[in-house]
Amino acid sequence: MNRKLFGLALVLAVTGLNPVTESAEFHSATVYMLSHYVVVASGFIFGYTLLRSDWKFAVIGVIPV
């Protein structure tokens, strides 16, 4: 497991999923969309670092987004 990528994903997840950011989402559409992108990016990075499986699973993971 790549510790730098895992750390980046953890920082992104904490940035997007904290009470300060979530309360600001109700007042600004920009904050809402940026936090959405941050959470999706952290999910991709977590999946890449933890699973490291076949590329077909990455395509399946992208479809819901």
Side-chain angles (χ1 to χ4, degrees):
M1 175 173 42
N2 191 343
R3 292 189 184 272
K4 289 182 183 180
L5 280 177
F6 188 80
L8 174 65
L10 189 61
V11 167
L12 288 175
V14 168
T15 301
L17 300 172
N18 65 53
V20 175
T21 304
E22 290 182 358
S23 66
E25 289 175 356
F26 294 107
H27 304 290
S28 174
T30 305
V31 173
Y32 178 77
M33 287 311 298
L34 288 176
S35 68
H36 172 76
Y37 294 144
V38 164
V39 170
V40 169
S42 69
F44 282 138
I45 296 170
F46 274 132
Y48 175 72
T49 57
L50 296 177
L51 299 176
R52 298 235 183 184
S53 55
D54 198 7
W55 66 272
K56 292 178 253 182
F57 294 116
V59 172
I60 293 170
V62 169
I63 290 172
V65 174

